[in-house]
Amino acid sequence: MSTLPTDHAAATPPVGVTPSLLSYPLGEQLPASGSAVEVAPGVFWLRMGLHFALNHINLWLLRDRMPHPSQAGVMQEGWTAVDCGIDNPATRAAWLQVEEQVLKGLPILRVLVTHMHPDHMGMAHWLCERWQAPLWMSTSEYQSAMLACTGLSNFGGDPTVQFFAAHGWNKAEDLAVVKSRVGYYPSMVPKIPGAFVRLMAGHQVRIGDRVWACISGFGHSPEHMALHDAESQLLISGDMLLPSISTNVSVYAMEPDGNPLQLFLDSLDKMAHLPNETLILPSHGRPFKGARARISQLRAHHDERLSELLEACRTQALSAHDALPLIFRRALDVHQTTFAMGEAVAHLNMLWLAGRLLRQRDAEGIYRFSATQSSAKPMGA
Ligand SMILES: [Zn+2]
């Protein structure tokens, strides 16, 4: 899953920032299943279901033309699909409906995936096979998807259990569930196309009449690619910039000392220069304008969490599991706790790696974070 809708995420914007700074030019309009809404000339918005608390993903169809594979000098009209939905019967049915109602008899010429998470990647194999279309994505995302497909993922199994236990989550029945989740990724992404075309930061990708610049993003997934058409002021932001929930930023078992929150915040810098008029096409929620305002909200949101954690760690050394109620102010089920733990460690690691918190393993092998002398100055100072 890509993002965890959290209490702290969006319903209440941080103090001092009014939600009206974001605007939604398409109003309440949503594409019905299997149909599309044209958001800019040749750019179509599709919406497909997800069986999570986060119940939908936005996909994009871009009018395209590419050299015909077997007729030299002939250009073929068609589409580029951006992101795919998870692989299940409902998504397959929705894609078949799109084929009838939206594609206008033209083929999908290319499948471009922003990142490897199941809701974005699941149907890539099916679409690529069905249309004999190449897959375009970044190398890190492609390779991570290959690995996760084998069950060796960050979502379950022994390494994940050990990682959570070391961060204070020790309830045996919960960890049994986590252990059994080795099939979680392959259940939604059963297969990965056998080859891909590499996207890299700064690449310019011509899709139909538009040229999109790749903007890499880190902290949410290994090497997320957003697409920016500067001329038309459009940004396909994937999961890196969302209007109403905060992007999930987690530390995972494979890289336990990682600093994804710092990476995420640094990645937002790459989008902070975008004019406020830019229409942002996010993977979840509605298309919106107000990139700068949204980025300020997200920064303020994370700053607030970091300050609260730092404050709490002054009174007593906390494990990530101890910190959950500070960050998530509601009951979490096991599934939500896995994402919440990853987020809690991301915040604690950022403070630890910045020298604001000290990390020590206690007698039971649990990491506990306590405030250091140098943490006296306020966050953001
Ligand atoms: Zn994602």
Side-chain angles (χ1 to χ4, degrees), residues 1-3 115 117 119-120 220-221 224 239 284:
M1 188 161 70
S2 58
T3 44
H115 65 296
H117 289 162
D119 42 343
H120 302 258
H220 173 63
S221 66
H224 183 292
D239 279 347
H284 310 284

Side-chain angles (χ1 to χ4, degrees), residues 102-348:
V102 185
L103 298 188
K104 301 173 185 145
L106 297 174
I108 290 179
L109 301 173
R110 153 168 57 192
V111 176
L112 193 154
V113 175
T114 56
H115 65 296
M116 52 84 71
H117 289 162
D119 42 343
H120 302 258
M121 181 79 193
M123 288 286 278
H125 74 100
W126 187 87
L127 287 169
C128 289
E129 246 170 66
R130 188 168 178 82
W131 295 101
Q132 292 301 298
L135 170 71
W136 291 48
M137 69 191 298
S138 75
T139 299
S140 312
E141 297 289 342
Y142 179 75
Q143 292 180 345
S144 301
M146 285 289 241
L147 201 61
C149 222
T150 66
L152 251 179
S153 75
N154 285 309
F155 297 113
D158 280 327
T160 300
V161 166
Q162 283 153 21
F163 170 70
F164 286 146
H167 280 286
W169 187 12
N170 283 310
K171 201 171 158 193
E173 60 261 46
D174 289 356
L175 292 183
V177 175
V178 172
K179 185 173 174 169
S180 70
R181 292 203 328 169
V182 281
Y184 183 70
Y185 188 87
S187 72
M188 293 176 279
V189 191
K191 237 172 120 183
I192 304 294
F196 76 113
V197 178
R198 182 179 195 171
L199 290 176
M200 289 180 79
H203 275 180
Q204 307 276 323
V205 183
R206 172 168 286 284
I207 301 177
D209 296 328
R210 299 175 182 278
V211 176
W212 300 83
C214 294
I215 303 177
S216 58
F218 304 94
H220 173 63
S221 66
E223 193 187 356
H224 183 292
M225 283 299 160
L227 298 171
H228 182 219
D229 172 358
E231 200 180 310
S232 309
Q233 301 201 327
L234 290 174
L235 176 78
I236 296 178
S237 64
D239 279 347
M240 287 300 291
L241 194 56
L242 302 170
S244 53
I245 50 175
S246 65
T247 298
N248 178 274
V249 175
S250 284
V251 173
Y252 295 104
M254 247 177 228
E255 196 193 349
D257 294 349
N259 197 353
L261 185 53
Q262 185 68 60
L263 291 174
F264 178 74
L265 294 171
D266 291 347
S267 300
L268 288 181
D269 283 347
K270 298 184 205 171
M271 297 189 279
H273 68 281
L274 295 177
N276 262 324
E277 270 312 293
T278 305
L279 181 64
I280 316 285
L281 307 176
S283 293
H284 310 284
R286 289 176 290 148
F288 69 102
K289 289 186 178 180
R292 289 180 196 181
R294 185 58 186 146
I295 289 170
S296 305
Q297 286 178 356
L298 291 166
R299 288 190 186 292
H301 158 73
H302 287 295
D303 274 353
E304 209 178 307
R305 294 309 132 203
L306 290 166
S307 295
E308 284 170 359
L309 279 174
L310 197 53
E311 197 48 49
C313 291
R314 284 209 175 94
T315 324
Q316 132 190 57
L318 296 179
S319 71
H321 193 258
D322 295 334
L324 289 184
L326 294 171
I327 311 184
F328 302 93
R329 289 155 195 164
R330 68 188 161 102
L332 301 168
D333 63 21
V334 175
H335 177 76
Q336 291 165 330
T337 304
T338 58
F339 286 94
M341 282 293 291
E343 290 236 15
V345 180
H347 284 81
L348 290 165

